[in-house]
Amino acid sequence: MRHIIIASHYGLAAGLGDTLKAIIGPGHDIRVVCAFTDETPLEEKLASAFEGIAEDDETLVLTDILQGSVNQLVACSAPRGAFIVTGVNLPVALELSLHAGQLTPDVVRHVVTQAKEQLVYLGDLTSDVDEEDE
């Protein structure tokens, strides 16, 4: 079984989790951790999110900021063998969540590479189209 944990500063994880659930539908184990939204320490929230995950289960952890405190704590507390991807966005979350086969480091790297190519400044694309139209 694939477990998906989305962890972020404040409410980003909740919004991404709600959107992911709406698009991919029921039947997926999606858990969210919103850091610093209340008095509960982040360590406790992460421990709760990782609770009940068997050692041989597939765990995908998506975080918001590479050098952020959330990602740093996730890196120390995630289950052994978890796939941790930081700087997450909706296309990455969808692609990895819906991947039909077993996740592997190569699969995750491929999705991350594709995401980097899809992150563009739209002004550059529209100015190219405008110049071609003339």
Side-chain angles (χ1 to χ4, degrees):
M1 170 174 220
R2 181 174 298 153
H3 304 278
I4 304 158
I5 292 94
I6 306 169
S8 74
H9 294 79
Y10 303 97
L12 178 66
L16 183 58
D18 287 345
T19 303
L20 193 59
K21 289 174 188 176
I23 293 172
I24 68 176
H28 301 272
D29 181 22
I30 300 172
R31 307 172 188 193
V32 299
V33 175
C34 298
F36 317 119
T37 57
D38 57 27
E39 297 301 316
T40 307
L42 179 55
E43 295 85 353
E44 286 182 31
K45 290 182 178 188
L46 288 172
S48 178
F50 294 136
E51 190 174 319
I53 296 176
E55 191 171 313
D56 59 340
D57 282 351
E58 191 175 68
T59 306
L60 172 64
V61 186
L62 307 171
T63 69
D64 56 354
I65 301 172
L66 175 61
Q67 298 299 328
S69 55
V70 174
N71 189 64
Q72 290 178 23
L73 196 52
V74 162
C76 297
S77 60
R80 193 171 142 230
F83 296 96
I84 303 170
V85 178
T86 190
V88 72
N89 60 25
L90 183 57
V92 168
L94 283 168
E95 186 76 25
L96 291 173
S97 298
L98 292 173
H99 181 74
Q102 186 84 15
L103 289 178
T104 65
D106 286 339
V107 168
V108 174
R109 283 186 197 102
H110 178 73
V111 170
V112 168
T113 299
Q114 283 184 318
K116 288 177 183 178
E117 293 171 4
Q118 294 176 15
L119 186 62
V120 298
Y121 169 52
L122 195 56
D124 289 342
L125 296 178
T126 56
S127 64
D128 288 345
V129 170
D130 293 342
E131 290 171 12
E132 289 174 9
D133 288 343
E134 293 177 8

